[in-house]
């Protein structure tokens, strides 16, 4: 298997699905923990939505969202469909 970022995520989901993948800290110091399984499911949901609207490999995907798990999942969802994510976050 080629060692791409999406393939590494899938490998972690298969091998250690309940391990911590992401810890997001908000401006209010609230922490959200996501396991590899949960993080992948969120990213996969975004990937499916992108496919449904016609996004395909090498398409540029502009992501304009607040810093959040949705922003991170959107970035990885774009990677999962082999598109090119470009992030414009705001607070």
């Amino acid at each position: 298997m080629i060692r791409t970022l999406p393939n590494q995520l899938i490998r972690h989901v298969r091998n250690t699905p309940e391990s911590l993948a992401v810890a997001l800290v908000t401006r209010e110091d609230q922490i959200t923990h996501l396991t590899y399984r949960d993080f992948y499911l969120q990213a996969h949901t975004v990937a499916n939505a992108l496919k449904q609207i016609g996004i395909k490999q090498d398409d540029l995907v502009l992501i304009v969202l607040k810093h959040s798990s949705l922003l991170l999942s959107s970035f990885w969802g774009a990677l999962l469909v082999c598109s090119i994510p470009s992030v414009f976050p705001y607070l």
Side-chain angles (χ1 to χ4, degrees):
M1 180 182 287
I2 298 173
R3 294 188 72 168
T4 64
L5 290 173
N7 286 343
Q8 293 293 42
L9 174 59
I10 292 166
R11 182 177 65 82
H12 282 289
V13 171
R14 287 183 183 147
N15 295 335
T16 58
E18 297 306 318
S19 294
L20 179 65
V22 177
L24 297 166
V25 181
T26 67
R27 292 177 84 186
E28 296 81 26
D29 290 331
Q30 294 177 338
I31 301 173
T32 300
H33 294 99
L34 293 172
T35 64
Y36 281 105
R37 175 182 289 134
D38 292 339
F39 180 59
Y40 176 77
L41 289 174
Q42 288 182 11
H44 191 262
T45 299
V46 172
N48 284 337
L50 292 172
K51 287 179 193 177
Q52 287 180 348
I53 62 169
I55 300 297
K56 57 191 178 306
Q57 183 174 343
D58 297 331
D59 283 351
L60 178 63
V61 176
L62 298 177
I63 302 166
V64 182
L65 293 168
K66 282 187 168 187
H67 283 276
S68 63
S69 63
L70 179 58
L71 182 140
L72 194 55
S73 297
S74 297
F75 178 87
W76 279 84
L79 289 178
L80 288 172
V81 296
C82 299
S83 63
I84 304 162
S86 183
V87 178
F88 294 88
Y90 62 93
L91 298 175

